[in-house]
Amino acid sequence: MLSFLYARQSGVDDPVRLRRAESTRRVLSLELNHNRDVDRIHGNGINTLDIEVIDGRYMLSGGSDGVIVIYDLENNSKKPQYTCKAICTVGRSSRHVHKFSVETVQWYPHDTGMFVSSSFDKTMKVWDTETLKPAEEFQFDGNVYCHHMSPVARKHSLVAVGTKDPKVQLCDLKSGSRIHILQGHRGEILSVRWSPRYDHILATASTDSRVRIWDVRRASGSLFTLDQHNGDKSKASSEAVNTAHNGRVNGLCFTADGLHLLTTGTDDRMRLWNSATGENTLVNYGKVVNESRKGLKFTVSRGCSPEFVFVPCGSAVAVYGLHSGELITMLRGHYNNVDCCEFHPDYQELYSGGKDCNILAWVPVLRQPDIEDDETNSKRGGTQAAINPAFEDAWSSDED
Amino acid sequence: MNRKRALIADTFCLSKRRRCASDCVTGDSQADIRSSLQYLMTLFSRKLFNDSLPPVVLKHQLYSLHDDKTSVDKQVNELRENGELLMFQLGFDSEAFALVFAEDYRAKVLQGEAGRGTLATVEKFLAKLIPSCSDLSFNKEKMLKEFLFTDSEITQLVKSGVLTVRDAGSWWLSIPNSGKFIKYFIKGRKAVLGMVKKSKYGEILKTELEARRTTAQVKFQMKYHVHDIIGAELVECIQTTSGTLLRYVDGNNN
């Protein structure tokens, strides 16, 4: 670490290098911290989490009981022990609360005055944060599995909605119209995602095992479908030609630069695709257990040198290296299935929510100060924790 | 006190790398995969099939020997492109691929065909296939136009077992007489998984499992099956102070 600081100071290294190295170190040391807690408001499982992009201060969560809660993640008390308080909730007593489970929530990408939530009660509501009343409500014919607003769009404010209907609907927030439809899928749409690089590129995943990439400015169909065999028709059985997975595709996530797309499917596989050409990069993550009947929400780290993917796997969160495919670690702490996770890029923290009604905050372990007169510690490069003299090893020899 | 060993990124590992550079395994080269393949081929029981089958290894058995699955995949594809290795889709699982060395395959097929009328067609097919083709299946136009086979020759190839029907007008590449292999393999896998499942707490040390007596269901060597269930992630591998522990994973289709 000191060598990185010196290199940056003397100009040998780019400033970004120190930042990336430190972010990577922090992500690798994610752990449950007894100093950080999140208020427990939900009475039923938590389906979705979203942290706003402007300040990274407020987090939205949506639960299976239809309740939506906003938390303040910033620690303004001077103590290390901090519970992220729930500032306001749309609880069961509110007149406008969703009747059934809330599947997706998302902050308006440009400010926190507004957020959008969609639910199994076949509606999508646009809420005013100040008054906690819906400013707009969109009705659909089937359960709404997911929705997404483009994080980079300036020219349009379209919300892509995936429902039980095989048609992907685009709702315009400015005019309230919903006439734009994307046709092409043959099954329910389990996940939709806008590209963080271009404001007109949309990816959709469906139960017909296909993932389609659309350009919303075009009148004709999708740009291309992701094919797991990269066009090699000989590998698949005849029905499985041109599919992204051998089962339902239920999770989509773009990397932060928008160049790659990750998909997960119920065939227990996760695949990494080049988002410009649709080519399967064939990175093998092994068996990524996936039994979710609806969408799976997973996330990718931002600002680290080998990027990491955080995928909920049963009751743990699995951390994989993005391009190497190796399983780095499993974060265990939940008592029941984990449904969603969200990465906070500024502090390299991970928040995960699951069926046990808890939101857990995974915080990087703080670096312990070096003990300067202890020779074994300085040899190992300074990440050794300081040992309490009561636990110090006073009987085994140093030769091992 | 933090007893867990912290995960350290590569960039911070400079001093550690210098110290154990001698005993660290450097990146796998092609030779490593080939030697792992040869080791796994020795575990295959030839006598069981009266020497009519070439030694067959499954691709996921390699994952139990090497850590990085992506590089294993890449090297297997390189070997296939060089024409040294052939890959087959085995039917019972869309992800299970069988690997056979090209010379072994050619020798056994010709040995099986000796004296039959279809020998000439099969020889012609193998000559076209082995140097460059890395397809798993063929459809009609490819057979007729590229390889210049007639319909009757295609029927002869199917009869000899080199091609298996996949769909109307397309065929999988296959190993002749492999039906028995697949049957014994599936039975043996089920039996070995059952052994792990029935152990106390559903887990067993790998060395103990390898030392157990095989039941009548298990025709292959125990190590062959153990590599298979580890590579296919049907059991979880946990490192303990007494060696590797295999724990049965719930939610399997088997």
Side-chain angles (χ1 to χ4, degrees), chain A residues 175-193:
Chain A
S175 61
S177 76
R178 310 164 29 181
I179 43 178
H180 197 162
I181 289 180
L182 301 172
Q183 276 201 349
H185 278 293
R186 289 194 214 130
E188 303 173 356
I189 312 285
L190 293 179
S191 187
V192 291
R193 219 76 190 154

Side-chain angles (χ1 to χ4, degrees), chain A residues 23-24 26-28 30 49-53 56 59 73 256 298-304 307-310 319 340-352 362 364:
Chain A
S23 305
T24 316
R26 282 169 67 85
V27 171
L28 286 175
L30 279 179
L49 290 172
D50 189 42
I51 302 180
E52 46 119 359
V53 286
M59 181 165 78
L73 299 178
F298 62 103
T299 180
V300 180
S301 70
R302 235 165 297 170
C304 304
E307 296 285 3
F308 302 100
V309 189
F310 304 96
V319 184
C340 52
C341 55
E342 189 70 25
F343 185 71
H344 193 319
D346 297 329
Y347 299 120
Q348 288 86 41
E349 289 164 358
L350 184 72
Y351 292 89
S352 58
W362 305 84

Side-chain angles (χ1 to χ4, degrees), chain B residues 62-253:
Chain B
L62 285 171
Y63 297 153
S64 72
L65 291 170
H66 295 272
D67 269 335
D68 192 356
K69 296 190 177 82
T70 317
S71 75
V72 167
D73 284 346
K74 237 197 282 180
Q75 287 169 58
V76 166
N77 280 335
E78 272 173 37
L79 286 173
R80 284 175 65 211
E81 260 145 49
N82 290 342
E84 290 176 35
L85 201 62
L86 285 170
M87 192 155 97
F88 304 92
Q89 165 71 275
L90 283 181
F92 62 86
D93 189 357
S94 58
E95 300 270 343
F97 295 105
L99 298 172
V100 183
F101 278 123
E103 311 93 51
D104 289 341
Y105 181 71
R106 189 203 190 90
K108 290 296 179 190
V109 168
L110 292 178
Q111 178 191 330
E113 285 297 309
R116 284 201 217 161
T118 50
L119 179 64
T121 332
V122 172
E123 259 183 28
K124 187 173 153 202
F125 181 67
L126 286 177
K128 288 261 169 60
L129 175 74
I130 285 186
S132 60
C133 189
S134 48
D135 274 341
L136 270 77
S137 79
F138 307 94
N139 55 9
K140 200 147 187 196
E141 315 109 51
K142 187 161 190 188
M143 296 295 280
L144 292 177
K145 308 238 165 76
E146 262 187 62
F147 290 170
L148 301 170
F149 280 114
T150 60
D151 268 336
S152 60
E153 288 182 319
I154 298 179
T155 323
Q156 286 183 350
L157 288 173
V158 174
K159 249 174 79 176
S160 69
V162 176
L163 290 180
T164 328
V165 168
R166 168 188 171 207
D167 198 7
S170 71
W171 300 270
W172 292 114
L173 186 66
S174 84
I175 312 170
N177 308 321
S178 60
K180 230 167 137 193
F181 164 74
I182 296 178
K183 180 172 126 189
Y184 289 158
F185 181 78
I186 295 179
K187 265 203 192 152
R189 189 197 242 190
K190 213 166 164 187
V192 172
L193 270 180
M195 274 196 231
V196 179
K197 193 174 177 190
K198 275 194 250 162
S199 315
K200 195 172 182 190
Y201 307 120
E203 54 193 26
I204 184 171
L205 283 174
K206 185 168 158 198
T207 42
E208 209 186 301
L209 183 63
E210 283 169 4
R212 282 233 187 136
R213 242 173 7 138
T214 58
T215 64
Q217 298 277 339
V218 179
K219 308 272 191 222
F220 292 113
Q221 282 190 43
M222 203 49 157
K223 283 199 178 174
Y224 191 78
H225 279 296
V226 169
H227 281 301
D228 164 51
I229 57 177
I230 296 178
E233 294 190 73
L234 297 167
V235 289
E236 210 184 312
C237 248
I238 301 165
Q239 297 297 331
T240 64
T241 46
S242 327
T244 317
L245 183 73
L246 303 175
R247 183 181 287 159
Y248 183 74
V249 171
D250 261 335
N252 280 337
N253 290 335

